[in-house]
Amino acid sequence: MRFMRIGTAGAERPAILDAAGVARDISTIVPDIGPETIADLGARLAGVDLSTLPALDMAGQRIGSPIARPRNIWCIGLNYSDHAAEAGMPVPSEPIVFSKPGSALCGPNDPILTSPGMTKIDWEVELGIVIGAPALDIAPGTAMDHVFGYVAANDVSERAWQIERGGQWMKGKSYPNFCPCGPWLVTRDEIADPQALGMELSVNGAVMQKGTTATMIFGVAHIVEYLSQFALLEPGDLIVTGTPPGVGMGQKPPRYLANGDVVELSIDGLGAQRSEVRARV
């Protein structure tokens, strides 16, 4: 199944895509797609004839994040060996964990917002994991039972704030709209192998990142099991899993985003995004 949320920010309608790619309104079945509903979303839709649900006219409609604001956005850093190399950092022996606030989440085509104090705004196409069942100290080999599905995400970063201002990475990761997500939330059963997904990102039409989740250092199952040792993963939580090489910081010379730039990205089976960089007003 592929889920979407469609409409103005804060008033999105939950939808499911039918076999023909038509968005069907499921708001009479579930009020939203998020932390309060995702655990039993599949059960609520079991046996429903999608053709009987109202079709949503997508023309001119905003696409929201396919999940409502999660309780937690977990992030894994330097999870591709070639990205670690371009950053000049050693390959980690354990996952590097940081976080973003829920306020960073936005729709796949919403603008990437900037402020006058930003000087090194960067892009990172990433596979996102959405948790469907609570996970804490889970048994080895059971991680996938706790995964609801996957999304495409952009871990937007302000590198000067992340690296040059001291303290934790999340300083440079947390501004509003620094986590475009979607357009679809695709259930686990639709993705045969999350470690075999092609991914690409371009800036103003020039391809900057082209990689595959096959080169992740720590795969999806390992990440979920690992994080569950340290924290309760809750339904609706989003985990962004790292990025392949080609980020702006790794260009020679470095190349960062400016207002007016357009970032486009896609991941196999998870859809595409298009975000314009824009000053916050």
Side-chain angles (χ1 to χ4, degrees):
M1 291 183 281
R2 292 180 295 167
F3 294 97
M4 301 181 71
R5 296 171 66 250
I6 301 164
T8 58
E12 296 93 343
R13 298 179 74 84
I16 186 171
L17 296 181
D18 66 16
V22 176
R24 299 285 180 171
D25 188 341
I26 59 173
S27 59
T28 58
I29 299 170
V30 60
D32 206 349
I33 301 167
E36 306 302 328
T37 60
I38 202 166
D40 64 348
L41 188 55
R44 294 192 193 203
L45 288 165
V48 173
D49 181 355
L50 299 185
S51 67
T52 65
L53 299 175
L56 290 173
D57 182 4
M58 295 287 293
Q61 291 291 310
R62 171 184 175 269
I63 300 173
S65 165
I67 50 171
R69 183 169 174 164
R71 295 186 179 95
N72 301 290
I73 300 177
W74 307 98
C75 307
I76 307 299
L78 297 177
N79 196 28
Y80 289 69
S81 56
D82 36 10
H83 172 52
E86 75 171 350
M89 302 181 74
V91 172
S93 58
E94 294 192 32
I96 295 172
V97 179
F98 60 98
S99 65
K100 286 178 176 276
S103 57
L105 192 71
C106 68
N109 305 319
D110 289 344
I112 294 170
L113 298 178
T114 69
S115 75
M118 295 181 183
T119 59
K120 297 180 179 180
I121 309 162
D122 208 344
W123 57 82
E124 294 187 12
V125 58
E126 306 207 4
L127 172 66
I129 306 166
V130 177
I131 296 296
L136 180 65
D137 291 325
I138 60 176
T142 65
M144 300 307 290
D145 297 337
H146 300 266
V147 174
F148 181 86
Y150 305 99
V151 296
N154 186 356
D155 176 18
V156 181
S157 309
E158 211 299 339
R159 299 299 190 190
W161 293 1
Q162 176 189 355
I163 298 169
E164 301 169 18
R165 296 290 297 272
Q168 301 296 315
W169 281 8
M170 67 179 297
K171 261 185 199 173
K173 303 280 190 172
S174 299
Y175 205 73
N177 288 29
F178 265 29
C179 192
C181 182
W184 309 323
L185 166 56
V186 181
T187 51
R188 186 181 74 231
D189 60 297
E190 295 277 336
I191 302 298
D193 184 359
Q195 306 305 149
L197 302 178
M199 52 208 311
E200 183 172 301
L201 181 145
S202 66
V203 178
N204 299 332
V207 174
M208 297 294 178
Q209 292 184 276
K210 192 173 182 68
T212 169
T213 57
T215 62
M216 288 168 63
I217 299 167
F218 307 106
V220 168
H222 182 96
I223 288 168
V224 173
E225 181 183 334
Y226 182 85
L227 285 175
S228 82
Q229 298 175 43
F230 308 105
L232 172 65
L233 306 182
E234 300 183 274
D237 278 7
L238 172 63
I239 307 169
V240 290
T241 58
T243 197
V247 299
M249 182 175 62
Q251 305 293 317
K252 299 188 185 304
R255 193 266 196 236
Y256 296 111
L257 296 172
N259 291 334
D261 285 345
V262 174
V263 179
E264 297 175 280
L265 66 83
S266 62
I267 298 180
D268 291 348
L270 302 181
Q273 302 182 6
R274 184 184 188 278
S275 302
E276 181 179 345
V277 182
R278 185 186 306 168
R280 180 176 175 271
V281 295

